[in-house]
């Protein structure tokens, strides 16, 4: 897009940095960390508002970022954002008190993927993350009682 005579191109959800703007002024390109987008159009802390939304928007939401940073290290959060960009069942669906969605790393769906479940009662996320550079699946958050059924079904379909 052109803004104030400058050409700006945005790369969304670039790992832990969030959005990156590349600004061209006619001579040079400058990289600017732009942070994350806000969910101004709805309350992100009401889990039911995420129904039908893409999981990438959840893990890249400015308001949800502190929640995710509280349950996983920065490198895992960065990988999570890459791991849900494409593929899988990207939009949250509801079953048995959980909203669940999944995605995978672009061109690497067999080795880099994630499943995100949000408890509708508590609003707390439970995340299964398969980092392409790791052998095992890592889990983040606390699952009260049993692993969410949709997550369990999705895990049974994955090769790891």
């Amino acid at each position: 897009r052109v803004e104030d005579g400058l050409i700006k191109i945005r790369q969304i959800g670039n790992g832990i940095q969030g959005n990156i703007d590349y600004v061209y002024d006619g001579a040079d390109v400058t990289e600017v960390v732009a942070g994350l987008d806000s969910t101004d159009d709805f309350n992100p802390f009401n889990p039911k508002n995420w129904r039908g939304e893409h999981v990438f928007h959840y893990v890249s939401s400015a308001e949800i970022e502190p929640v995710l940073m509280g349950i996983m290290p920065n490198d895992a959060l960065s990988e999570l954002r890459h791991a849900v960009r494409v593929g899988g069942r990207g939009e949250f669906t509801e079953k048995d008190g959980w909203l669940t969605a999944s995605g995978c790393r672009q061109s690497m769906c067999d080795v880099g993927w994630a499943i995100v479940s949000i408890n509708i009662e508590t609003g707390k996320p439970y995340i299964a993350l398969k980092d392409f550079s790791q052998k095992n699946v890592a889990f983040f958050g606390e699952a009260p009682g049993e692993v969410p059924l949709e997550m369990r079904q999705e895990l049974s379909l994955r090769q790891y």
Side-chain angles (χ1 to χ4, degrees), residues 53-125:
E53 294 291 326
H54 196 280
V55 63
F56 180 75
H57 296 134
Y58 177 79
V59 302
S60 297
S61 162
E63 293 87 354
I64 297 299
E65 183 175 49
V67 174
L68 298 175
M69 290 176 87
I71 64 169
M72 60 194 338
N74 283 346
D75 60 336
L77 178 55
S78 182
E79 178 57 28
L80 175 63
R81 289 187 178 136
H82 289 294
V84 295
R85 279 187 174 249
V86 299
R89 293 181 311 109
E91 294 181 353
F92 282 104
T93 57
E94 183 177 347
K95 185 170 188 175
D96 297 332
W98 290 87
L99 291 172
T100 301
S102 65
C104 62
R105 206 175 231 282
Q106 191 168 359
S107 302
M108 299 176 72
C109 282
D110 56 335
V111 294
W113 48 266
I115 306 164
V116 177
S117 292
I118 307 168
N119 185 294
I120 291 175
E121 187 177 309
T122 66
K124 293 181 179 179

Side-chain angles (χ1 to χ4, degrees), residues 142-154:
E142 295 179 33
E146 296 183 19
V147 171
L149 182 60
E150 291 288 306
M151 180 180 281
R152 183 182 303 279
Q153 289 172 342
E154 191 84 21

